[in-house]
Amino acid sequence: MSTNLPDALAEYAEIVFLAPEKCKFSMTAGGFLALEYGEDKFPVVSAYRSFPLTLGDKYISIRDDKEKEIGIIVDLADFSSDQANLVRAELERRYFTPVVETVVKMKEEFGYIYWEVITDRGPRRFTSRGQHDSIVPVSDTRILILDVDGNRFDVPDVRLLDAKSAKLLESLM
Amino acid sequence: MHQLEPIPEGVRQALNAHGITDAQIKLCAAGDMTTEGNFAEAWLVATEQELCILTGVKAVVPKDKRFGRKQVAEQWQEVSYRTVALSAIEEVKAQSLNGNGLLVITIGEQAEVACRYSNTMARKFGQFARLLNKLRKGEQLTEKDFTAEVYQPQCPTCGRLYPNPTRRVCPRCLDKRKLFMRVLSFMPRYKKQVIQILLCMFAGSLLQILSPYVNNRVFFDEVLNPAGKYAGRIFSAVLVMGAIQLVSIAASIAHGRINAELTARVVFDLKTSVFQAMQRLSLSFFTSKETGSLMTRVNSDATHLQYFFHDGFPYFIVNAINLIGIITVMLMMHWQLTLLVLLPTPLIVLCVTKAFPKLWNAFSRRWRHNSALNSLVNDALTGIRVVKAFGKEDTERERFMQRNTKVYQVNMQVGHIQAVLFPVMGLIMGAGRPIVLSIGGWQVISGEITIGTLMTFLSYLSMLYGPLEFMTHIVDWWSSCMNAAGRIFEILDATPDVAERKDPVRLPNLSGHIELNDVSFGYEPNKTVLENIALEIKPGEMLGVLGYSGAGKSTLVNLISRLYDVQEGCIKIDGVDVRDIAVADLRAQIGMVLQDTYLFAGTIMENVAYAKPGATIEEIIRACKVARAHDFIIKLPNGYDTLIGHRGQNLSGGERQRLAIARAILHNPRILILDEATASVDTETERGIQEGLESLVKGRTTIAIAHRLSTLRNADRLLVIDKGKVVETGTHEDLIKLQGHYFKMLEKQRNALKIRGVEVSEHQLAGRAG
């Protein structure tokens, strides 16, 4: 029997890039994303970011209701703004990450950090494990805070916070 | 009435206003977000007929004025209310997204979001969905459905979320004074030494306070003064002074010696109990913490406590006695001057309360950065093979540099703060001396006090600031010690998630019948790894478990061997819930051979005998023979006495694996779990071990997990798991006929072999034909 590596592994190696002109996203009455791709119709699809922290609008994996990948959107910017916003809304729901606007209180005790923050989604109190386990430095000025339950809070730029908040956070960086 | 959590008054009123009475409520749970993704409260309440979705505004954070208007914080205000008839709902599902979760109800063909919640609530809504489905199908909810504890994530005193849901201890409300008393409680075991130390300290302090009085006041005013009581008796005076000095030194030497012994003992005991406590804890405790940080805890925190016991606490008592004694004597000698000298004291206190927190912060940052650095070193050294293999020494050095720089910076910060703080403190404390010199000097000239009194006063003054300065340090000592103690007690107090029941069922002779009823489990609250697994394994049966990586195979066996506890459903062995079986009985009769074998530092002999310490040499050799390990062991220059180092690096993967199998054979368990046991062994060796395994498997309940399908050739039954669910079960032939997952896997492996140029029949592949 002949050996044929590409054939055997083809289904793993191939990436389907979704062509913007063939995609038609829509919103179901229940608030879920649906897709018509050429001839194919998907009543419910979900969208995943490949690089949730660094490239939020690029390399978005669109999956069917069985979580099988339909294809990848290289860049949402290639889509019309209506279409892009539909996908973006779905992404934002999945990667729910409130942005911290003010740090009201932050106290570290016994290896846990207690927070009181005001986010763009409202005020929130949470507890995170010690600094090393819960603060993800994304860049020199951006951090992601993970709480004990796995909720995520984003601080896109520490320098843009008010002085008090920045000072509280700087002690962790 | 059953429900998942108590309903607050405001919500109850709102529900009543909509005609829902308390008696009608069957199930309820509060979410913490609106469907648009803003933090707010939303209640899902189910009666027998309908699901009510009630959202309202109530800030999650109460009462802080920076969180908006006060009434918002205190009052529940309804925003929306709608109901869905339960009969219209086709399905209820708790869907976890990466950053939050959705409770999705399907009405007709249409899925819609009933409630959105943060990951904090994920587990609760998983349970809610399950119970709502029951309710929807018209089943009655019983007590049993609510056996899981009422969800209580917050400390009732301060409202802070518990950092560790399994440990209902709020570190914030943990009383530091209590902590201190608890640290001290280690002391009474050593009553004799403590009493000796106290005696020495009292004697030492007394003499120390006495000595300036004799040296100055008595010597100048009574001995040198012709009108004095002991005029001219210089030699006797010097003799007395020398004697005081000698006795004082003797007391201090005795104190130091006893103290050293005592503290070393306390720390020894502390480290022992911490290590014991760690061994007692469940696996989940270790996976949630970095090993480096754990090692720091045992070593560095215990050392911190040692400092406290050795340098902090005893000297605190000595200094406290000195301070009180000196001030008393000074007050007796000249109370006006004493009060003047003590004037700067409030400044010192101010300095301590205002400036020291900065220093403590820096200290705790230093601890964190050091701990991070330790983890990194630990990582890099454990993974040195990977580092070398990819030639990433420079990258590692770079990473080390980065963290080391942080440690350097924080060290520098600490140094800078100290450099300013202590001289300023010194300046404030030195302010007393000029006061004494000017006022006292003037009084000597005017004859109000003697020169001896002034000299004594100056001596006391210099003695006073020592203890005072120490007292300002003691706060720092205290604080860092209490932090260390807190971390240590956290381990001592952590309750294992997998705890033995008070009166466990003893099952010394298992038959090995395993039953799983609707088992669901996830390591993290928002990610279920296994979902509604139902399974029965008969005594002596060999079950092969297949599935792609991440399907939940290892989790399944972790649950059966009770390394973790199920979150929903139950697992029964011989008809008894595993949570009720005595842990010792369970462990003695379940044997595991894992893919990643851990061999302890020790000889081969010791490693094989690990599971059965009293094994005879014949038993060990027989076990090794069965495991096909005997031959390679004999060829080693030191045979069974060969020392194997950390992770047995001088043995090959296959050799280590065979030792692990020998270990399991010697252990002779009723239930045997093979988790990819032969994955790191080549096919040829596997065939060799297979015979060993066959004799091992015979007569025991065996669960074998394997990627390589040929490994499962002897399985009586196969189970295919996909994404946490059982998708296929049956014999090899059954599953071939089914043409489902198993068939596909078989095809794929055959293709893979074809690539290597190996032609195989289906039967050869599954190993049936031998």
Side-chain angles (χ1 to χ4, degrees):
Chain A
M1 174 103 27
S2 69
T3 63
N4 194 339
L5 183 72
D7 265 5
L9 298 177
E11 76 172 279
Y12 301 107
E14 193 190 338
I15 302 174
V16 178
F17 292 108
L18 297 179
E21 63 280 5
K22 276 170 79 184
C23 289
K24 193 170 168 287
F25 287 102
S26 57
M27 185 71 79
T28 68
F32 289 92
L33 198 61
L35 169 68
E36 277 177 50
Y37 187 67
E39 301 289 292
D40 301 320
K41 285 188 177 162
F42 301 94
V44 178
V45 295
S46 43
Y48 291 80
R49 286 180 172 135
S50 301
F51 305 94
L53 297 183
T54 47
L55 297 172
D57 272 0
K58 291 185 178 165
Y59 298 100
I60 290 155
S61 168
I62 303 293
R63 289 169 181 260
D64 67 13
D65 54 354
K66 302 249 160 19
E67 292 190 3
K68 189 172 168 356
E69 186 167 280
I70 301 165
I72 285 181
I73 292 175
V74 178
D75 193 345
L76 274 184
D78 302 337
F79 285 69
S80 71
S81 66
D82 291 356
Q83 289 281 294
N85 283 339
L86 282 175
V87 179
R88 222 170 264 138
E90 163 72 11
L91 285 171
E92 265 157 32
R93 182 158 76 181
R94 173 167 299 278
Y95 296 92
F96 176 74
T97 312
V99 173
V100 174
E101 289 168 346
T102 311
V103 182
V104 180
K105 255 188 192 166
M106 189 217 86
K107 199 171 180 199
E108 186 176 16
E109 267 180 328
F110 302 123
Y112 293 99
I113 309 173
Y114 297 90
W115 302 80
E116 281 184 26
V117 297
I118 296 173
T119 71
D120 60 339
R121 304 307 186 114
R124 183 82 174 169
R125 302 198 312 181
F126 61 92
T127 308
S128 69
R129 288 213 175 81
Q131 180 237 10
H132 190 51
D133 296 324
S134 66
I135 308 291
V136 182
V138 182
S139 71
D140 280 348
T141 52
R142 180 180 172 196
I143 57 171
L144 201 66
I145 308 162
L146 306 176
D147 80 356
V148 285
D149 298 304
N151 295 310
R152 296 135 44 98
F153 298 85
D154 194 6
V155 184
D157 193 337
V158 180
R159 294 168 304 181
L160 298 183
L161 294 176
D162 58 291
K164 189 193 161 199
S165 305
K167 205 177 157 200
L168 285 170
L169 282 178
E170 259 159 25
S171 66
L172 290 177
M173 297 178 74
Chain B
M1 185 177 63
H2 309 295
Q3 53 193 40
L4 284 173
E5 63 186 286
I7 304 178
E9 197 43 46
V11 179
R12 185 187 305 279
Q13 280 168 9
L15 285 171
N16 289 346
H18 287 290
I20 308 285
T21 62
D22 292 2
Q24 284 177 296
I25 298 172
K26 293 290 167 207
L27 189 62
C28 71
D32 53 357
M33 279 163 74
T34 61
T35 44
E36 292 80 32
N38 292 318
F39 291 125
E41 230 176 63
W43 282 83
L44 288 185
V45 175
T47 66
E48 269 175 7
Q49 288 80 36
E50 55 187 7
L51 174 69
C52 315
I53 304 165
L54 175 68
T55 64
V57 193
K58 178 176 162 269
V60 184
V61 185
K63 277 179 198 163
D64 192 306
K65 64 171 184 282
R66 294 192 61 177
F67 284 111
R69 296 165 302 273
K70 251 196 174 153
Q71 72 271 23
V72 172
E74 282 160 6
Q75 266 179 13
W76 160 269
Q77 277 183 346
E78 184 181 319
V79 171
S80 73
Y81 178 80
R82 69 185 175 116
T83 59
V84 181
L86 284 190
S87 57
I89 301 176
E90 303 281 332
E91 202 195 353
V92 183
K93 222 168 68 183
Q95 191 183 350
S96 91
L97 306 180
N98 299 38
N100 57 154
L102 304 175
L103 193 86
V104 181
I105 51 177
T106 313
I107 302 169
E109 290 284 285
Q110 195 72 57
E112 65 173 278
V113 179
C115 177
R116 195 167 164 188
Y117 48 85
S118 77
N119 288 341
T120 312
M121 311 270 166
R123 199 158 274 169
K124 180 172 75 181
F125 276 97
Q127 208 180 347
F128 185 86
R130 192 172 63 87
L131 296 183
L132 189 59
N133 268 322
K134 268 187 124 176
L135 211 56
R136 181 176 64 78
K137 289 176 196 152
E139 292 171 40
Q140 283 295 318
L141 300 183
T142 62
E143 281 293 342
K144 245 183 133 186
D145 289 316
F146 295 92
T147 44
E149 277 179 79
V150 174
Y151 188 75
Q152 172 57 286
Q154 288 170 338
C155 164
T157 322
C158 67
R160 282 280 173 283
L161 300 163
Y162 286 122
N164 180 355
T166 56
R167 182 185 170 223
R168 296 273 159 85
V169 174
C170 171
R172 196 189 179 84
C173 294
L174 205 66
D175 193 342
K176 281 199 186 184
R177 237 165 269 142
K178 262 192 200 150
L179 256 182
F180 178 63
M181 295 316 286
R182 197 163 156 200
V183 173
L184 285 189
S185 73
F186 277 84
M187 284 229 165
R189 294 182 211 170
Y190 325 98
K191 242 185 231 156
K192 206 179 93 195
Q193 287 102 317
V194 172
I195 291 172
Q196 285 172 340
I197 287 180
L198 284 176
L199 282 177
C200 291
M201 286 195 302
F202 273 119
S205 294
L206 201 71
L207 294 169
Q208 239 189 324
I209 296 170
L210 196 64
S211 111
Y213 193 79
V214 176
N215 291 4
N216 298 303
R217 174 78 175 76
V218 177
F219 191 71
F220 286 109
D221 293 351
E222 309 290 347
V223 179
L224 294 187
N225 189 349
K229 228 179 185 175
Y230 316 106
R233 292 159 74 176
I234 295 176
F235 185 66
S236 326
V238 171
L239 218 60
V240 171
M241 285 189 238
I244 290 176
Q245 200 65 33
L246 271 179
V247 178
S248 161
I249 284 172
S252 126
I253 289 176
H255 167 217
R257 283 180 64 103
I258 305 166
N259 193 29
E261 184 193 320
L262 174 68
T263 51
R265 187 73 215 170
V266 170
V267 172
F268 172 84
D269 285 353
L270 208 57
K271 280 192 184 180
T272 311
S273 24
V274 170
F275 189 74
Q276 268 171 5
M278 278 189 180
Q279 293 293 318
R280 186 174 51 85
L281 286 174
S282 318
L283 206 55
S284 55
F285 182 85
F286 298 94
T287 46
S288 68
K289 297 198 164 56
E290 280 182 76
T291 325
S293 156
L294 277 177
M295 289 190 342
T296 316
R297 281 197 191 194
V298 183
N299 289 321
S300 149
D301 287 340
T303 313
H304 253 278
L305 281 190
Q306 180 181 2
Y307 285 146
F308 185 82
F309 274 116
H310 191 266
D311 302 336
F313 186 63
Y315 289 94
F316 169 73
I317 294 188
V318 171
N319 282 308
I321 296 171
N322 283 353
L323 202 61
I324 296 167
I326 292 167
I327 292 180
T328 315
V329 176
M330 281 170 80
L331 280 172
M332 278 159 56
M333 284 175 65
H334 198 315
W335 66 269
Q336 297 95 331
L337 200 55
T338 309
L339 290 182
L340 265 179
V341 166
L342 289 178
L343 266 183
T345 321
L347 266 177
I348 296 174
V349 174
L350 195 77
C351 203
V352 170
T353 48
K354 286 287 166 204
F356 269 70
K358 263 192 180 167
L359 190 61
W360 304 332
N361 257 335
F363 275 132
S364 109
R365 262 206 316 278
R366 181 164 74 180
W367 184 86
R368 275 199 322 255
H369 285 297
N370 265 327
S371 172
L373 189 70
N374 284 346
S375 310
L376 184 128
V377 172
N378 194 27
D379 260 10
L381 295 184
T382 323
I384 192 73
R385 286 183 56 177
V386 181
V387 176
K388 295 267 174 209
F390 287 97
K392 286 293 173 212
E393 291 93 337
D394 287 344
T395 322
E396 285 304 313
R397 199 170 51 225
E398 191 55 41
R399 285 207 313 147
F400 180 82
M401 277 291 286
Q402 274 176 11
R403 288 206 189 172
N404 203 16
T405 309
K406 281 193 180 151
V407 172
Y408 155 75
Q409 282 166 343
V410 76
N411 266 331
M412 209 163 62
Q413 271 176 13
V414 169
H416 281 175
I417 297 173
Q418 281 175 328
V420 177
L421 200 57
F422 293 123
V424 170
M425 295 271 293
L427 185 75
I428 298 170
M429 290 200 251
R433 199 175 162 82
I435 299 176
V436 174
L437 280 178
S438 44
I439 296 178
W442 184 72
Q443 286 192 325
V444 169
I445 291 174
S446 68
E448 276 174 62
I449 57 170
T450 61
I451 182 118
T453 307
L454 181 64
M455 298 285 281
T456 313
F457 221 86
L458 280 175
S459 300
Y460 278 138
L461 193 61
S462 61
M463 281 171 68
L464 180 68
Y465 288 138
L468 252 184
E469 196 183 340
F470 179 87
M471 285 304 166
T472 59
H473 281 298
I474 194 82
V475 188
D476 157 45
W477 282 113
W478 193 71
S479 163
S480 76
C481 163
M482 286 311 112
N483 275 329
R487 284 189 294 261
I488 282 182
F489 288 134
E490 191 192 325
I491 294 175
L492 289 183
D493 295 345
T495 41
D497 319 341
V498 181
E500 189 168 50
R501 225 180 60 173
K502 270 201 190 97
D503 48 343
V505 179
R506 300 302 308 239
L507 283 178
N509 292 305
L510 288 179
S511 72
H513 182 267
I514 304 171
E515 205 183 330
L516 278 80
N517 295 325
D518 264 342
V519 168
S520 296
F521 178 81
Y523 296 97
E524 287 162 45
N526 54 337
K527 261 176 101 179
T528 27
V529 179
L530 290 179
E531 233 179 296
N532 299 328
I533 302 274
L535 177 67
E536 192 189 347
I537 311 168
K538 296 196 181 68
E541 189 182 2
M542 179 175 176
L543 178 78
V545 182
L546 301 126
Y548 298 109
S549 355
K553 304 181 300 277
S554 296
T555 307
L556 182 73
V557 295
N558 280 346
L559 292 178
I560 292 175
S561 52
R562 215 186 161 211
L563 291 176
Y564 293 89
D565 267 340
V566 296
Q567 276 140 7
E568 278 172 36
C570 74
I571 296 177
K572 287 179 179 166
I573 295 184
D574 286 12
V576 184
D577 193 318
V578 282
R579 284 168 290 197
D580 298 338
I581 303 176
V583 175
D585 288 346
L586 198 64
R587 298 273 186 264
Q589 294 177 84
I590 294 187
M592 279 183 119
V593 183
L594 308 173
Q595 178 179 11
D596 185 25
T597 321
Y598 199 94
L599 299 174
F600 295 93
T603 65
I604 287 184
M605 164 92 176
E606 285 162 352
N607 265 289
V608 174
Y610 188 75
K612 192 182 176 191
T616 63
I617 291 180
E618 284 82 37
E619 281 180 301
I620 290 170
I621 295 183
R622 199 169 300 131
C624 288
K625 273 206 114 142
V626 176
R628 294 289 181 277
H630 180 69
D631 291 342
F632 88 78
I633 297 172
I634 285 298
K635 283 181 200 148
L636 294 169
N638 291 333
Y640 280 88
D641 292 329
T642 305
L643 270 176
I644 34 188
H646 271 300
R647 302 184 73 85
Q649 262 170 359
N650 41 9
L651 295 180
S652 77
E655 287 166 343
R656 283 165 48 192
Q657 203 58 50
R658 277 178 273 175
L659 288 187
I661 293 169
R663 205 190 257 170
I665 291 171
L666 195 63
H667 183 40
N668 193 23
R670 289 299 313 148
I671 297 169
L672 178 68
I673 290 165
L674 305 170
D675 190 351
E676 299 280 3
T678 52
S680 51
V681 183
D682 60 80
T683 329
E684 199 55 42
T685 318
E686 190 192 5
R687 203 161 294 166
I689 301 174
Q690 201 80 50
E691 293 169 38
L693 280 178
E694 267 167 41
S695 49
L696 176 60
V697 162
K698 215 162 279 167
R700 326 168 192 276
T701 310
T702 305
I703 303 169
I705 296 176
H707 268 302
R708 211 184 285 159
L709 301 182
S710 58
T711 313
L712 300 176
R713 63 160 109 177
N714 295 316
D716 300 307
R717 197 153 53 104
L718 297 167
L719 182 81
V720 185
I721 299 185
D722 191 35
K723 292 183 190 128
K725 287 182 181 153
V726 175
V727 287
E728 281 169 23
T729 169
T731 61
H732 166 75
E733 283 78 17
D734 291 345
L735 298 188
I736 292 280
K737 261 183 234 149
L738 209 64
Q739 303 236 335
H741 287 81
Y742 180 71
F743 185 75
K744 264 197 227 158
M745 280 188 229
L746 214 57
E747 286 284 294
K748 269 179 199 156
Q749 291 208 355
R750 187 153 48 188
N751 281 337
L753 287 174
K754 271 185 201 160
I755 292 167
R756 294 188 204 136
V758 184
E759 184 91 22
V760 270
S761 80
E762 173 191 286
H763 271 257
Q764 268 174 328
L765 192 62
R768 282 272 146 174

